[in-house]
Amino acid sequence: MTRARAAVLRGGLRALVAGLGLVAPPAPVGAAPAADAPAAASPAPEIIGGTSTTVGQYPTVVGLEVGSFLCTGTLIAPTWVVTAGHCVDPDVVMLPSQDAVTKGTTVHFNTVDIIGDAGTVVEASATFKDPLFDPMNLGSNDLGLIQLATPVTDVAPSPINLSAVLAPVGTVATLVGYGLTSAPGGDGTTGLEFELTNRISIPCPSKGIGRDLDLLCFSQTDNKGTCSGDSGGPAFAIINGKPTVVGVTSFGDPACASYGADTRLDIEQNFLLQHVPELGCLADADCPAHRVCFAHSCIAEPFGPNGLGTVCKSAADCDSELCAVSSQDGSRCSLACSPSDPSTCPDSFECLKSATSAGACWPVPGGGCCDAGPGSPATALVGLAAIALGLRRRRR
């Protein structure tokens, strides 16, 4: 893709938020042309306000060329990339059909500059948008999938989050994308990968932009956040010790200066599993031997080798990569959970409260591991390696 023909979709059709729509190139309303001139020697203000990345730092994050538009995506299975629905919507990218979108989609791996270095290029064999996505009614269902013509076997796919309680308001996220590094009309670059760390999600109603059920929202009033071309890019949060995709860039204000909104992956569970069933399990029979299905994930059998409740010395001893220590029971493999929702822990485990919103699954007395005995003191827990927890079992 040449610099002259490259155009970028603003994160989630910001122009449509302003009620403007799209027009034909050289630059649709709500899109910005990539600069023809080489980037300046000094760095641009960066994703906006982020930091340039290096090849291999985010191996699952890809640049997407869809017709004459640029988006971002993430490898979530060997033959599947997740992105925004509007990035693969024929009407939005101005292509005549879904088949034309597929034929016009190119996926760029192993590059942080898709205009200057195409990297490893993989074609698409199919593209899908959530059928409920409506570009004139942004705020929900803005999710898309790209099926790759060739499996990617040298990159471990990023895990995705399918549990809403593990990505509440206040989630700390890292945003990654290939979009503009300055507000529209500025002198930033396009097509270079940037990261923006330590972004804390805020209540979406505080910006008047939708529901927390559907979106992860971020303030951009500090001149940091997503912009044109970041559409479809991941919001990574650390869940059970692993960078996990909790959202994809969907939309924001036209100036990229007030807010950005990401489609939550957990609310899109049905759409995701319909096309990529290997992302989750429905029953124990869907899992390999010695693993069980919990919250659509195949986890090691509780109290079995590396399973929840098993004695551990460090996170490396646990399938969940979380080893917690109890003042009474010693160190055991645990799992992050929500104290307000018992269903975030398997049977025979309870979610112990902490001083923050985090929690950890711990065996209930008599639940198959250990019994602290009636009338015993409350158990204090501290998380090891993956997260820090100050937890207490409820007195019985």
Side-chain angles (χ1 to χ4, degrees):
M1 178 173 64
T2 65
R3 291 180 185 272
R5 67 178 279 264
V8 294
L9 279 175
R10 180 164 304 149
L13 299 175
R14 294 171 188 269
L16 287 181
V17 177
L20 297 177
L22 298 171
V23 296
V29 177
D36 288 311
S42 58
E46 299 106 16
I47 191 170
I48 296 168
T51 305
S52 58
T53 63
T54 58
V55 174
Q57 186 175 352
Y58 293 99
T60 61
V61 180
V62 298
L64 301 175
E65 184 182 353
V66 185
S68 59
F69 290 89
L70 170 68
C71 281
T72 305
T74 310
L75 185 75
I76 58 172
T79 57
W80 291 94
V81 166
V82 67
T83 187
H86 68 261
C87 289
V88 292
D89 185 315
D91 292 337
V92 174
V93 296
M94 296 184 290
L95 291 172
S97 66
Q98 198 66 56
D99 184 58
V101 171
T102 299
K103 291 178 179 178
T105 296
T106 303
V107 184
H108 298 262
F109 287 85
N110 200 37
T111 179
V112 295
D113 178 5
I114 69 170
I115 295 175
D117 175 10
T120 302
V121 174
V122 181
E123 302 299 327
S125 63
T127 54
F128 305 90
K129 64 172 182 174
D130 186 318
L132 297 178
F133 170 63
D134 179 0
M136 301 307 298
N137 187 26
L138 296 178
S140 62
N141 305 113
D142 188 8
L143 202 72
L145 287 167
I146 298 170
Q147 188 172 23
L148 302 177
T150 305
V152 174
T153 58
D154 58 349
V155 175
S158 288
I160 65 171
N161 176 52
L162 296 179
S163 176
V165 297
L166 299 183
V169 172
T171 291
V172 179
T174 293
L175 311 179
V176 185
Y178 285 86
L180 275 176
T181 59
S182 68
D187 59 357
T189 62
T190 300
L192 303 181
E193 185 183 76
F194 283 84
E195 65 169 354
L196 184 59
T197 61
N198 297 318
R199 303 306 287 175
I200 301 175
S201 68
I202 62 172
C204 296
S206 69
K207 293 288 186 177
I209 52 176
R211 304 186 304 168
D212 294 329
L213 178 69
D214 300 307
L215 301 169
L216 283 170
C217 298
F218 301 91
S219 173
Q220 299 192 176
T221 57
D222 59 352
N223 296 317
K224 296 180 179 181
T226 53
C227 200
S228 305
D230 293 319
S231 288
F236 288 115
I238 301 300
I239 296 179
N240 296 321
K242 300 177 181 179
T244 302
V245 184
V246 294
V248 301
T249 298
S250 178
F251 65 95
D253 67 285
C256 307
S258 178
Y259 64 84
D262 281 32
T263 299
R264 300 180 63 101
L265 264 66
D266 54 81
I267 197 68
E268 291 289 315
Q269 178 173 299
N270 289 341
F271 170 70
L272 288 164
L273 296 183
Q274 174 189 353
H275 293 284
V276 200
E278 62 264 38
L279 291 175
C281 56
L282 298 177
D284 292 349
D286 298 330
C287 299
H290 307 299
R291 300 184 75 82
V292 297
C293 184
F294 174 69
H296 292 283
S297 295
C298 291
I299 64 173
E301 288 180 333
F303 309 117
N306 308 112
L308 303 185
T310 302
V311 173
C312 57
K313 294 183 179 179
S314 70
D317 297 330
C318 302
D319 181 66
S320 63
E321 297 189 4
L322 176 60
C323 182
V325 60
S326 161
S327 58
Q328 290 179 274
D329 302 333
S331 300
R332 297 185 181 276
C333 294
S334 188
L335 185 71
C337 58
S338 170
S340 64
D341 186 355
S343 69
T344 56
C345 288
D347 292 342
S348 301
F349 290 82
E350 63 180 337
C351 187
L352 300 190
K353 285 185 176 181
S354 73
T356 66
S357 61
C361 295
W362 198 256
V364 299
C369 157
C370 41
D371 193 340
S376 61
T379 300
L381 291 168
V382 177
L384 300 178
I387 57 175
L389 300 169
L391 305 171
R392 292 188 176 276
R393 171 173 283 139
R394 298 185 298 275
R395 292 183 182 274
R396 295 180 179 273

